[in-house]
Amino acid sequence: QVQLVESGGGLVQAGGSLRLSCAASGNIRIRNMGWFRQAPGKQRELVAEINSGGSTNYADSVKGRFAVSRDNANNTLYLQMNGLTPEDTAVYYCAASPFPIAHPVGRSWGQGTQVIVSS
């Protein structure tokens, strides 16, 4: 497993942007990566994923607003979030896995970074 540390969260007004980063302790080149979020009282949900080949997939709620990318040379995952709304308020978690990221087995998790979007 790899150790993951997220950063970049904070308080932003509706319509604003944030860029989250996830630094990994190990080589992420062969791992599938993803960003999840968990709002108060809700289940953790997958919002964006990028596999080891660079293919991406997004939840319908963030399509066209969020962009996931990876820098394998620096073992870092990113999530660019634009057009933020109060509904995006959540703790955002980075995850890595040797399996498809939507599969619960084998995931490594970061500690999470809080995103708060004010109206």
Side-chain angles (χ1 to χ4, degrees), residues 11-99:
L11 174 64
V12 64
Q13 288 189 332
S17 298
L18 283 174
R19 189 192 196 201
L20 306 184
S21 298
C22 172
S25 63
N27 189 345
I28 65 169
R29 188 178 305 274
I30 60 171
R31 295 189 181 272
N32 301 307
M33 308 287 294
W35 288 97
F36 292 73
R37 69 184 180 188
Q38 188 166 19
K42 294 188 177 181
Q43 288 189 334
R44 192 172 298 190
E45 63 172 344
L46 176 62
V47 295
E49 60 181 310
I50 182 166
N51 67 17
S52 57
S55 296
T56 59
N57 194 34
Y58 298 92
D60 287 343
S61 59
V62 306
K63 276 182 183 175
R65 299 188 299 123
F66 290 12
V68 60
S69 61
R70 60 192 297 162
D71 179 352
N72 290 335
N74 291 300
N75 294 315
T76 305
L77 180 73
Y78 299 101
L79 184 67
Q80 178 66 43
M81 305 187 294
N82 299 324
L84 286 162
T85 73
E87 289 68 36
D88 296 315
T89 294
V91 178
Y92 284 72
Y93 297 90
C94 169
S97 178
F99 306 111

